[in-house]
């Protein structure tokens, strides 16, 4: 028995410590990605922890799965010089305290600060996942140039850059000194997931209504307002918008002003498995995407899809769904975690 306990202690001591860093801990694509990785790492080989700025549903889910989390209070999404300096030192202190073998960076702001902090702390392996390059957003030329520079420096300081689509990989390979460290690993979903009836959506509209549905964080990039504008022009169009976010009040006001309360409804956050079968068509009007989970799930559910071809959208629509399995994503991502020198 003593020998077995000693062996267990040795195995625990040999596990690689992985620190995931993300800005917002709400529930979107990047957050789901972090959750899937942190909760599916082989427990006898890895010890995961997650550092985040703004608390949200991700933290609740991680805590329920017994994954350690650390909040960095000044790490907000918006750029602000004083808080960004504080965020950097919070990250640096966190990394020094955790002593991770590997830091895996997600979301542009956390990644930029985290890459520098991890380098200065001597972390052996720094991985940066690009969930859609941020300089692809609609901004003025000066802002896009600055964000490109910051993104390039983040990639430069990282040992490996994971792009979730071929689209983003092509962008990475045009960046100086980045091409050889960039790889494409698609986001993955459980291909055996079960879909409910979607009655929660169906029951909110008249019997026989043809429902166009979308799922995503309520933000400018997701562009749900385009579906509201479309419904204004089509009297037979019913729209179900699933998700939460900073644009909720604006969308509610737009629905009221347009007199569409009976035909366009906000459902808040609900699991995709509960609502997709309530849609007749899945719509994705996004202005920017990496590789959207909601679109993968809509394809798996067999729905007709209408989507803007941004980011990796065309790849989802063109490839077999088996390309996007959770198992494949985990296998390929863990392969990037290889550390050549032991701790």
């Amino acid at each position: 028995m003593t020998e077995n306990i000693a062996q267990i202690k040795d195995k625990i001591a040999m596990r690689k410590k992985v620190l995931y860093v993300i800005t917002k801990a709400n529930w979107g694509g990047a957050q789901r990605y972090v959750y899937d990785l942190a909760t599916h790492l082989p427990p006898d080989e890895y010890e995961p922890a997650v550092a985040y700025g703004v608390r949200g549903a991700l933290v609740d889910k991680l805590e329920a799965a017994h994954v350690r989390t650390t909040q960095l209070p000044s790490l907000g999404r918006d750029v602000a010089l004083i808080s960004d300096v504080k965020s950097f030192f919070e990250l640096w202190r966190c990394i020094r305290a955790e002593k991770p073998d590997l830091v895996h960076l997600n979301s542009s702001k956390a990644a930029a600060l985290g890459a520098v902090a991890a380098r200065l702390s001597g972390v052996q392996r720094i991985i940066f996942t690009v969930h859609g390059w941020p300089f692809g957003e609609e901004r003025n030329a000066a802002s896009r140039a600055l964000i490109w520079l910051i993104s390039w420096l983040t990639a430069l300081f990282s040992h490996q850059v994971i792009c979730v689509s071929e689209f983003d990989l092509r962008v990475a390979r045009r960046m100086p000194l980045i091409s050889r460290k960039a790889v494409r690993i698609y986001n993955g979903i459980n291909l055996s997931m079960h879909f409910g009836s979607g009655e929660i959506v169906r029951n909110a509209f008249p019997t026989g209504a043809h429902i166009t549905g979308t799922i995503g964080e309520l933000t400018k990039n997701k562009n749900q307002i385009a579906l509201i504008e479309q419904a204004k022009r089509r009297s037979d169009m019913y729209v179900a918008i699933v998700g939460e976010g900073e644009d909720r009040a604006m969308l509610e006001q737009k629905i009221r002003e347009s007199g569409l309360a009976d035909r366009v409804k906000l459902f808040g956050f609900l699991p995709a498995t509960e609502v997709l079968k309530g849609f007749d068509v899945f719509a994705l009007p996004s202005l920017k995407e990496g590789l959207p989970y909601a679109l993968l799930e809509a394809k798996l559910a067999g729905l007709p899809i209408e989507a803007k071809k941004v980011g990796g959208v065309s790849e989802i629509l063109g490839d077999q769904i088996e390309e996007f399995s959770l198992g494949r994503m985990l296998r390929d991502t863990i392969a990037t975690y290889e550390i050549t020198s032991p701790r």
Side-chain angles (χ1 to χ4, degrees), residues 279-290:
F279 302 164
D280 293 293
V281 175
F282 181 84
L284 193 77
S286 301
L287 302 175
K288 170 186 171 291
E289 284 289 354

Side-chain angles (χ1 to χ4, degrees), residues 164-216:
V164 298
S165 69
E166 285 289 339
F167 177 88
D168 284 330
L169 181 61
R170 289 194 296 270
V171 174
R173 288 182 170 164
R174 292 196 296 268
M175 293 177 163
L177 307 177
I178 304 304
S179 179
R180 291 186 178 181
K181 64 174 69 178
V183 296
R184 189 267 290 153
I185 302 176
Y186 283 137
N187 290 342
I189 60 173
N190 178 4
L191 299 183
S192 62
M193 69 174 61
H194 172 74
F195 295 98
S197 65
E199 288 182 5
I200 191 170
V201 173
R202 290 282 174 195
N203 292 340
F205 294 97
T207 302
H210 189 273
I211 300 168
T212 298
T214 191
I215 302 172

Side-chain angles (χ1 to χ4, degrees), residues 20 68 92 97-98 133 136 142 186 204 213 223 252 263 267 279 282 303 305:
Y20 295 94
R68 289 190 302 107
W92 181 76
E98 289 284 339
W133 290 103
Y186 283 137
N223 196 33
E252 287 177 333
R263 291 196 289 115
F267 285 83
F279 302 164
F282 181 84
L303 289 176
I305 292 169

